Amino acid sequence: MKVQGWVFVICGLFFAAVDVVYWFWSKEPTGTAVMAISVGLAFMVGYYLLFTARRIGEQPEDSKEAEISDGAGELGFFSPHSWWPLFVCLSAALTFFGFAVGMWLFLIGVFATVMSMIGFVFQYYRGNFSH
């Protein structure tokens, strides 16, 4: 994880340099603000990866002598099938559409988004697939 963290930090430094050059070249505030946001996001992800790498210790991808088999094993639980991401996306689209159309549709979309996110989070706590 250290390598990935340093990649994001270096990208953040590159974005910062490009942002300064862009500001002096164009004097356009919108593009400069967007570039500044990308600097912040790159540094945020880089910091998180470096902080996590320090906390969990050396990983196989950090060692130059590591083999592919060193990273083998269980990585976590991934849902083999779930309809909830579709419902979350549809309700989020309804929310954004409601933001453009009217407050009543926006509120319905917010309610649908919250309910579908709750269903997505708790899909393996009830029913046939609970463990």
Side-chain angles (χ1 to χ4, degrees), residues 57-127:
E58 182 92 8
Q59 295 294 309
E61 58 264 19
D62 295 329
S63 174
K64 293 183 188 253
E65 289 82 29
E67 295 290 328
I68 293 176
S69 61
D70 294 340
E74 184 175 336
L75 298 176
F77 174 74
F78 300 97
S79 178
H81 54 83
S82 177
W83 285 90
W84 287 107
L86 176 68
F87 297 138
V88 171
C89 292
L90 289 175
S91 59
L94 181 68
T95 302
F96 292 124
F97 183 68
F99 187 73
V101 171
M103 184 59 84
W104 62 274
L105 190 57
F106 174 76
L107 293 175
I108 292 171
V110 167
F111 177 74
T113 302
V114 169
M115 295 309 290
S116 60
M117 286 173 55
I118 289 171
F120 191 17
V121 169
F122 293 110
Q123 68 181 332
Y124 288 106
Y125 284 80
R126 298 182 53 146

Side-chain angles (χ1 to χ4, degrees), residues 26-56:
S26 70
K27 302 286 189 209
E28 195 233 339
T30 306
T32 305
V34 170
M35 292 287 290
I37 290 171
S38 67
V39 169
L41 291 174
F43 280 138
M44 182 177 61
V45 172
Y47 171 77
Y48 171 76
L49 289 172
L50 289 172
F51 178 77
T52 304
R54 184 177 47 207
R55 191 170 46 115
I56 64 174

